[in-house]
Amino acid sequence: MKVDLQKAVETAQELLDALKELDGAEPDDGPARKARQQRAEITRTLLYLAHLGDRTRVEIMDTYHAYKSQDMRSGGEPGSE
């Protein structure tokens, strides 16, 4: 069985690109409307980045389970998990 992690790689690349883009961001301080909008955007972006991390993890686990199922059908020995 070919181990296909392409979806996980693409998601991880999207996560890395977004992390690099956000790294070092400094929203304006104060109660002004623009500052509140910037802080809200950073909050949304951080939540999305966490989502991408979770999605990458799930895609890797999907591949793992597919591999283990195929391996067990081929007579592979159950390994420690």
Side-chain angles (χ1 to χ4, degrees), residues 7-81:
K7 284 178 20 177
V9 168
E10 290 170 4
T11 304
Q13 185 62 52
E14 182 181 352
L15 173 60
L16 178 60
D17 293 343
L19 285 169
K20 287 179 179 180
E21 185 177 321
L22 185 61
D23 187 38
E26 291 186 40
D28 293 336
D29 288 330
R33 182 178 187 174
K34 183 178 178 183
R36 286 193 313 271
Q37 288 174 338
Q38 287 174 339
R39 290 192 301 271
E41 181 63 29
I42 288 173
T43 298
R44 283 191 299 274
T45 301
L46 289 169
L47 287 171
Y48 181 66
L49 293 176
H51 165 73
L52 287 177
D54 290 342
R55 192 167 83 189
T56 302
R57 179 186 53 81
V58 168
E59 290 166 352
I60 292 168
M61 289 306 296
D62 286 348
T63 301
Y64 165 77
H65 288 295
Y67 175 78
K68 288 305 287 182
S69 294
Q70 181 66 31
D71 189 42
M72 294 304 287
R73 279 182 263 157
S74 328
E77 294 293 320
S80 62
E81 297 179 19

